[in-house]
Amino acid sequence: CDFPARYDGGKFALVLPETNLARALHVGKKVGSEIKGCTFGIAVKPFSLTVSIGVSSTSEKQYFDWRQMLQDTNRALDAAKNRGKDRVESLFSESIAKSIASYP
C-alpha cells in the first residue's frame, strides 16, 4: 500500500513498497511536473513551486533498517539540491537514472 507522509519539517515522503527504482524515478518526475504545473497566488501576482526529489529503493540495495534507507534518500535529495534544484536524483544505478530523463 503506497502512502504519503510528512517528516522533518518541510519534507515529505512517498513510500511506494512495490515500486522498483526506475518506476520510483518516473513517479518522482511526474510528481515534480504536477507541482510545477500548479499556479498559486492571485491573478496579478501568480507564482509556481518547484521541488527537489531524492529517491532510494529496496530493489537496488538491501536495507536492514528504515533509517538507512531514509539516510540514502536524504543524500539523494541533497544531490538534487546541489545539482541545481528542481530535479529528481537517486544514489543508485546511473544507467537506470539516465534512462529516465532528468526532471524537468
Side-chain angles (χ1 to χ4, degrees), residues 35-70:
I35 289 171
K36 193 171 186 174
C38 294
T39 303
F40 301 93
I42 57 176
V44 295
K45 196 173 182 181
F47 66 93
S48 61
L49 302 174
T50 60
V51 62
S52 296
I53 299 174
V55 176
S56 61
S57 175
T58 58
S59 69
E60 296 299 310
K61 180 177 177 181
Q62 185 177 9
Y63 293 99
F64 297 101
D65 186 333
W66 64 269
R67 288 175 281 260
Q68 292 173 329
M69 186 170 65
L70 190 57

Side-chain angles (χ1 to χ4, degrees), residues 19-26 28-29 52-61 63 69 71-81 83 87-103:
T19 304
N20 66 22
L21 178 61
R23 186 71 181 137
L25 290 166
H26 178 77
K29 183 178 176 183
S52 296
I53 299 174
V55 176
S56 61
S57 175
T58 58
S59 69
E60 296 299 310
K61 180 177 177 181
Y63 293 99
M69 186 170 65
Q71 183 178 26
D72 279 353
T73 305
N74 277 319
R75 288 176 47 215
L77 174 59
D78 289 343
K81 291 177 181 179
R83 293 180 179 153
R87 56 189 301 126
V88 178
E89 291 286 341
S90 174
L91 301 179
F92 312 111
S93 298
E94 283 294 316
S95 61
I96 293 173
K98 286 179 184 175
S99 71
I100 306 295
S102 291
Y103 166 74

